[in-house]
Amino acid sequence: MPITLYQASIPMLVRGLNTLSTLLDKAEQHAGQHQLDAQQLLSARLYEDMFPLSAQIQRASDTAKATASRLSGVAAPAFADDETSFDELQARINKTLLFLETVTPQTVDGQEERPVTMKLRGEERTMTAQEYLTVFGLPNFLFHVTTAYGILRQQGVKLGKMDFLGL
């Protein structure tokens, strides 16, 4: 049996957000154990022109919401991008997960060929929903999850591959 558009999208987004939540838990524990200011971790970047950890979490949330919305046609909630603590970022992840729970297989499956139009670098780009998921939605989401993981590793948080995989 082939995998459905829903199976290839929403469970992956949920898993990635749950992974981010676990990574944030470990980062907060690390900050406490090493008497670090939480802001040191939340504002850490891999490189000066990249978003800090807090924004990586926000972008992962935004990408998860947008991907689910574009695949299903269900309007995504807007968040203010004003989180400044571990607790606030965890709350954002939880709100995103609650939104993803409203997106059902019935609203996604069968939409593979539906056109999805979005702006990329100021230009409109149209692709099928399936192409959007595989070429942009999931890769963009995983970029931000991976970058958050990388930032935390760079900052000394004890994480391994299994933490990223959520196993």
Side-chain angles (χ1 to χ4, degrees), residues 15 76 96:
R15 184 178 182 104
T96 307

Side-chain angles (χ1 to χ4, degrees), residues 21-148:
S21 178
T22 300
L23 296 178
L24 285 177
D25 283 340
K26 291 186 177 208
E28 188 171 22
Q29 290 169 8
H30 176 83
Q33 290 168 349
H34 294 85
Q35 288 129 19
L36 299 174
D37 177 10
Q39 290 308 308
Q40 178 181 333
L41 290 176
L42 295 173
S43 64
R45 305 166 186 261
L46 286 180
Y47 196 74
E48 63 190 35
D49 68 347
M50 294 180 77
F51 286 127
L53 176 64
S54 58
Q56 297 295 340
I57 305 299
Q58 293 163 344
R59 297 297 77 72
S61 164
D62 289 344
T63 303
K65 293 183 303 170
T67 298
S69 178
R70 288 178 176 132
L71 295 179
S72 68
V74 176
F79 301 154
D81 294 342
D82 58 0
E83 297 84 8
T84 60
S85 69
F86 286 114
D87 286 343
E88 290 172 351
L89 288 168
Q90 291 285 14
R92 183 189 182 110
I93 290 170
N94 288 331
K95 289 189 298 186
T96 307
L97 288 167
L98 288 172
F99 167 66
L100 293 179
E101 287 178 11
T102 70
V103 179
T104 65
Q106 294 77 17
T107 60
V108 175
D109 290 340
Q111 301 298 314
E112 293 80 3
E113 297 302 317
R114 185 174 52 75
V116 171
T117 301
M118 57 184 274
K119 283 197 175 195
L120 284 174
R121 296 187 172 142
E123 293 183 30
E124 277 197 359
R125 169 111 190 245
T126 300
M127 54 190 94
T128 66
Q130 182 173 330
E131 182 183 18
Y132 165 78
L133 176 66
T134 59
V135 172
F136 186 81
L138 282 180
N140 190 33
F141 175 72
L142 292 172
F143 171 84
H144 293 293
V145 175
T146 302
T147 303

